[in-house]
């Protein structure tokens, strides 16, 4: 069966066990793999690596597109193989490793990763491990449910290992559009002018001589659950849709809006899902991840084209996708993450960027990554690629966390991932603050008034009012209290003053 | 004489006094002007507006390319005309107004400004005031020493006022390359593939019916002095040049590097100036501002082409430029700031971005704008446009300020303009820290070791070591001490513990 999927017959002799494939990976190597938001990542070879490490300890640097499943991040962290990690993760074990200091993690803009590979900034790429549905007659690789960094990994790696995943639908063939840029000074314009434009090949070019092993795998993606669409998410979605309607009415947006980008996770999924019942038609998406609500939008006839770098469904969504792959493939394009997240394309198309914050502050700085300043959650992902280059950029969050003990709106965020220069609209279940054209003092009043939870409004105004008594009124802060809310939470368990 | 410069004869009847031209500007209007880094801004009409305001108070919103001279920002602030200001300034009076709360200021990425104008996010643009060397036979405008936002201002404004500045060299004709993008969803790739590519017209297109007044002006630009190249700047420059040589040797940069971008001001000027005596040849620049050291590089045969949006010389540099305009014009292209600062072009060309920080922190976040968190200095300018999209991004600063009482390397910057995701190399006179591929804890040790002043190293390591005792080790912080250095300076006059 696996031989049917390896159309270049001379490669059949490279079929081997996961253990044999894993033996190519030596101590201190840098390994780049497929996979983006637990989708399309290799599983059998990493599991064999982890097994080997139990007897024979070794360590690697791992570069992926984005988050990958427990067979990769989890297994390699638990066995001590994962020493250094780029650029994004969501796995419990790897997160623990990062936060206890056993894993060195650099959290990067996803659009920067592929050029770091090509510029040599990560050093040599020793091995690429790519999940594929098939290999073409010429030895080129047809990816599965994500593309991520795979084209650059294959191009730059000394050796390529391939996992043919027999659970992945062959109807994925043709959904990918693989295009790579040259390095400066030879780089040319990326010829995408609409979200559905196809500019590349349906496979990843690969010199078959670099393929040192091919492994069969039938483990399915360990996708992450999407939370139910709760009342807060519905309110956030409603605020955004109402605002977009007003922008159309004011002539600042076309009637079918502009290509939507929506981040990973339940709130982002819910926000997009809210459009199913809206009046908007002929929508397009130019985003990273195609989540469950996109299938709803396609089925409702609302979305005509969705471009991303991965399918990122829930478990139910994965079944729905696999059962109807031919149908959904007609509407979808999967691109390398260099292209899905490219500043050039995001700005040209004028995406409407919808991303989720851990917290934002009264002046409009956003924390997307580190809880209470020090504790890595997942990473910035593509939120910066889209936010900075959007036509309009939104950040959403529920106004409180931890049963109301944390305010998601604070005087000064404990980590800054997006600055006051980058975001136009802030949204919580309480309301929406459009801060275009406002100076910091005006922004602060609007964000507190419209977005903060009533339990914290008075405290926030108190901070602002006292800060304004200082000598400098541009962006008034109290340097001895700027992070006091976080400190209070860390010491008392609540940002509230008892 | 001014009639010679107005080649469309029917426009001669629009010649009027500055006072008459100023009368078109009414209370609450939004005015967009030429000018970028005290270069090429209107002078006579703003002075007439200020004079009128002494008898008849009124207020405006002012949008420029970047900083403008005292005849505009200064005169309008002192007379209370300036109510709201976008996106960058360096004038003493306007800075005071911003910091005392009388002027509302939004500090923006310069590449965002023109699209805010075109998207309608600033509201209606009532009047454009453009400094020009001449008007063509068709009524099109030939700018002076900067382009900035002028093309979009002329396109979107209801009325256009022109100041023909007779002190500006006619040899500027042909140096400009005016190209504008369409709004999404109609935007196309910008066809620049090399820093010197010309893709537009040598004039700003203008419907002559919109020109309501033309004024003669013979006031020269109030350019800013460039400090002498001091020992610290020479050391910073030497560290960077040494590093670039190593990158070439390692095969990570071409022998003639990649297009250089260098920020505004004395340190940036000195850093670029250091290249005059280096081994590098056939350099190119794709930047905002063409400062004095660029003339040195051109005269030394080191730079073949320099692209920017303005000539930004010192007083001596201005004389040198004017005396040799035909010579320098051969090497230079002045573009709209949308194009000079465009993320698409900066990333495609792979600029080497060299910008100056107020302070940076141990984890690599940069403050470019607000001193001690609250006090606006100038603004972010184009530093974010280039930094985020560079091939390699550097930030430089002298390691201390205020006679050694301020450390420019701190535990947590008091304002974040560039994040840890954006910058690869940090440089002070003490040394250089290349943080590519390092996790936050590793970055911190390298930045402290290589860049901090010896007076503050022990204090910085003490903060880091104590922070690492906490529960979470990804990016360890002490939330009750993160801004304590700034607070100590504000209360005691020194960051040092007495």
């Amino acid at each position: 069966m696996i031989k049917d999927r390896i159309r270049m017959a001379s490669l059949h002799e490279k079929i081997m066990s996961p253990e044999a494939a894993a033996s190519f990976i030596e101590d201190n190597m840098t390994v780049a793999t497929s996979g983006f938001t637990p989708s399309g990542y290799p599983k059998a070879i990493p599991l064999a690596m982890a097994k080997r490490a139990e007897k024979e300890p070794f360590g690697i640097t791992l570069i992926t597109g984005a988050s990958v499943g427990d067979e990769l991040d989890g297994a390699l962290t638990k066995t001590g193989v994962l020493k250094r990690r780029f650029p994004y993760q969501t796995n419990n074990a790897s997160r623990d490793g990062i936060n206890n200091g056993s894993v060195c993690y650099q959290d990067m803009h996803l659009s920067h990763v592929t050029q770091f590979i090509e510029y040599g900034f990560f050093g040599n790429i020793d091995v690429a491990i790519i999940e594929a549905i098939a290999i073409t007659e010429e030895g080129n690789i047809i990816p599965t449910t994500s593309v991520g960094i795979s084209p650059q990994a294959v191009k730059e790696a000394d050796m390529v290992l391939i996992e043919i995943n027999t659970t992945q639908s062959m109807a994925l063939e043709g959904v990918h559009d693989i295009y790579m840029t040259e390095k400066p000074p030879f780089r040319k314009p990326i010829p995408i002018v609409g979200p559905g434009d196809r500019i590349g090949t349906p496979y990843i070019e690969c010199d078959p001589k670099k393929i040192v092993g091919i492994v069969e795998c039938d483990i399915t993606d360990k996708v992450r659950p999407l939370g139910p669409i709760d009342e807060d998410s519905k309110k956030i979605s409603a605020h955004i849709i109402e605002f977009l309607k007003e922008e159309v009415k004011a002539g600042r947006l076309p009637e079918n809006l502009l290509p939507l980008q929506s981040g990973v996770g339940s709130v982002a999924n819910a926000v997009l899902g809210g459009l199913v019942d809206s009046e908007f038609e002929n929508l397009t998406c130019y985003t990273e991840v195609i989540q469950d609500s996109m299938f709803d939008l396609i089925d409702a006839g609302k979305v005509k084209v969705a471009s991303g770098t991965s399918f990122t469904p829930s478990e139910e969504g994965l079944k729905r996708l696999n059962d109807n792959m031919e149908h959904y493939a007609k509407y979808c394009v999967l691109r390398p993450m260099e292209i899905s997240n490219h500043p050039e394309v995001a700005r040209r198309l004028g995406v409407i960027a919808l991303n989720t914050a851990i917290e934002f502050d009264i002046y409009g700085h956003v924390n997307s990554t580190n809880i209470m300043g020090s504790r890595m959650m997942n990473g910035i992902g593509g939120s910066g690629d889209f936010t900075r280059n959007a036509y309009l950029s939104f950040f959403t969050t529920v106004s409180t966390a931890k049963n109301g003990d944390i305010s998601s709106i604070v005087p000064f965020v404990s980590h800054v991932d997006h600055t006051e220069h980058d975001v136009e609209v802030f949204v919580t279940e309480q309301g929406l603050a459009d801060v275009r054209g406002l100076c910091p003092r005006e922004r602060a009043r609007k964000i507190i008034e419209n977005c903060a939870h009533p339990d914290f409004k008075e405290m926030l105004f108190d901070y602002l009012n006292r800060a304004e008594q200082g000598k400098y009124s541009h962006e008034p802060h109290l340097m001895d209290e700027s992070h006091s809310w976080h400190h209070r939470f860390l010491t008392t368990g609540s940002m509230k003053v008892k």
Side-chain angles (χ1 to χ4, degrees), chain A residues 10-23:
Chain A
S10 62
L11 284 174
H12 291 177
E13 66 184 33
K14 301 287 184 186
I15 298 172
M16 59 183 66
S17 68
E19 291 70 26
S23 73

Side-chain angles (χ1 to χ4, degrees), chain A residues 169-373:
Chain A
S169 167
M170 281 305 296
L172 281 162
E173 187 167 3
V175 84
H176 311 97
D177 184 63
I178 311 299
Y179 175 95
M180 295 168 74
T181 62
E182 297 290 322
K183 282 197 288 188
F186 306 108
R187 200 173 272 167
K188 298 283 182 301
I190 299 165
I192 292 177
V193 295
D197 288 358
R198 289 185 172 271
I199 60 171
T201 58
Y203 50 75
I204 296 167
E205 274 191 35
C206 180
D207 176 355
K209 287 197 285 290
K210 294 214 300 196
I211 301 175
V212 296
I214 302 172
V215 167
E216 181 168 355
C217 177
D218 63 359
I219 309 169
T220 56
D221 283 329
K222 288 293 165 300
V223 295
R224 303 176 82 207
L226 286 169
I229 298 183
D230 61 14
E231 283 309 306
D232 285 340
S233 301
K234 278 186 196 161
K235 283 182 191 164
I236 290 171
S237 186
H239 293 314
I240 293 172
I241 289 168
E242 191 54 35
F243 177 81
L244 291 173
K245 279 186 201 167
E246 290 298 319
E247 288 296 295
V248 171
K249 209 184 285 175
R252 289 189 291 264
L253 275 176
E255 274 191 20
N256 71 331
L257 305 178
L258 284 165
L260 299 163
Q261 176 267 330
S262 172
V264 183
S266 299
V267 173
N269 185 58
V271 166
L272 213 56
L275 287 164
V276 170
D277 300 317
S278 76
E279 66 191 32
F280 293 113
E281 303 278 350
N282 294 313
L283 298 171
T284 62
C285 297
Y286 195 86
T287 186
E288 284 172 359
V289 291
I290 297 175
Q291 300 193 117
D292 290 16
S293 56
M294 195 77 82
F295 307 140
D296 297 334
L297 284 165
I298 290 171
D299 289 346
K302 293 284 189 182
V303 160
K304 296 299 175 194
V305 58
S307 168
T309 190
S310 82
F311 288 117
T312 308
S314 66
E315 200 151 340
E316 314 84 71
L318 183 60
K319 185 173 171 357
R320 178 178 175 188
L321 175 66
N322 273 324
D323 290 348
N324 303 278
M325 187 62 82
E326 285 183 45
H327 168 64
Y328 291 120
K330 280 186 279 187
Y331 297 89
C332 297
V333 189
L334 294 189
R335 307 180 189 278
M337 86 182 190
E338 183 193 15
I339 305 301
S340 65
N341 286 41
H342 206 292
E344 170 176 338
V345 184
R347 173 140 167 172
R348 181 181 305 141
L349 301 183
V351 298
I352 297 174
L354 302 159
N355 291 287
T356 311
I358 289 173
E359 59 179 357
F360 49 77
D361 69 29
I362 57 174
Y363 297 120
H365 303 264
V366 175
N367 178 4
S368 298
T369 58
N370 281 274
I371 293 173
M372 302 296 147

